[in-house]
Amino acid sequence: MDFETLKRECLACRRCGLCETRRHVVFGQGVETAEVMFVGEGPGEHEDELGQPFVGRSGQLLDHYLEAVDLDRNKNIFIANIVKCRPPQNRDPAPEESAACLPWLRTQFSLIRPKIVVCLGRIAAQQLISHDFSVTKDHGKFFQKQQTLFMATLHPAALLRNPRSKPSAFGDFVALREKILEVCDHTYET
Ligand code: URA
């Protein structure tokens, strides 16, 4: 399957109940050949309205951290979510919603083939790294799974609620930059 076909099919998805209340499927945004992918939890109100990931206040904060380490959703990364439709009232995605949606993300991984996946927050880390993952304890550490390195950092919405965690999140982005320089080929070229 190619990326355009995947996107077209995903935008028409009715695999779980979130399709009844969504305004847009948030497929993801960025570069199809990215070596680094970021995965959040699920669209919020602004993302649902615009059909793009991380466009609200937490997205602005995320873009700020990305810029600090020369990453940019229009140039060298791809951003997606565990669930592609907004859970009503921004509740956590239900297990059956994540399970129904994950094959879309898995296909995105298999087409993009990122070298590094950064989980934004607990929900993504527990789905993609391990079910009992503690972001507080294990943020910023890299875990090799098959051919891919996974790391989790604090969710930007958590940083907005608790600004005292910002220095540790920034440390994760600095560690990410070091890892990119070590294992990626073209993320920082030009
Ligand atoms: N929070 C997320 O986890 N994902 C988004 O796309 C926006 C906010």
Side-chain angles (χ1 to χ4, degrees):
M1 174 173 318
D2 65 25
F3 214 72
E4 273 314 301
T5 310
L6 177 70
K7 184 168 182 179
R8 187 166 20 84
E9 290 184 4
C10 183
L11 294 185
C13 181
R14 302 193 60 81
R15 290 182 190 170
C16 84
L18 296 181
C19 70
E20 304 293 345
T21 47
R22 73 177 179 225
R23 281 182 283 185
H24 287 101
V25 176
V26 180
F27 175 74
Q29 184 182 20
V31 176
E32 287 168 38
T33 56
E35 294 172 306
V36 185
M37 272 182 76
F38 287 76
V39 181
E41 174 179 329
E45 186 184 2
H46 295 100
E47 292 76 21
D48 179 49
E49 195 177 311
L50 297 174
Q52 301 288 5
F54 285 100
V55 288
R57 271 185 75 218
S58 52
Q60 284 172 16
L61 183 60
L62 175 62
D63 282 338
H64 176 77
Y65 281 87
L66 292 172
E67 191 186 348
V69 294
D70 304 310
L71 297 175
D72 181 327
R73 59 174 90 195
N74 296 308
K75 292 205 180 100
N76 53 8
I77 60 167
F78 192 90
I79 306 179
N81 279 302
I82 294 293
V83 292
K84 297 192 175 339
C85 297
R86 182 191 182 200
Q89 280 83 49
N90 300 340
R91 61 163 169 75
D92 287 356
E96 65 275 15
E97 292 160 354
S98 301
C101 205
L102 266 173
W104 295 119
L105 182 63
R106 301 258 178 237
T107 311
Q108 287 177 315
F109 285 157
S110 71
L111 292 174
I112 297 173
R113 295 198 293 128
K115 294 203 158 105
I116 302 175
V117 174
V118 179
C119 301
L120 297 166
R122 175 182 61 87
I123 300 277
Q126 292 189 343
Q127 286 290 336
L128 301 179
I129 304 175
S130 74
H131 287 297
D132 57 358
F133 194 90
S134 162
V135 177
T136 321
K137 272 202 345 252
D138 290 326
H139 69 91
K141 297 181 188 164
F142 288 88
F143 301 87
Q144 179 100 40
K145 291 186 120 198
Q146 279 118 13
Q147 313 288 30
T148 313
L149 285 166
F150 286 80
M151 186 262 260
T153 188
L154 295 104
H155 194 288
L159 299 177
L160 290 172
R161 285 194 302 271
N162 183 9
R164 276 184 296 186
S165 299
K166 284 182 177 180
S168 29
F170 189 71
D172 296 344
F173 280 79
V174 173
L176 172 63
R177 185 186 158 82
E178 289 301 309
K179 190 59 81 179
I180 292 171
L181 289 168
E182 192 185 316
V183 305
C184 292
D185 302 316
H186 57 78
T187 298
Y188 287 140
E189 76 190 9
T190 72

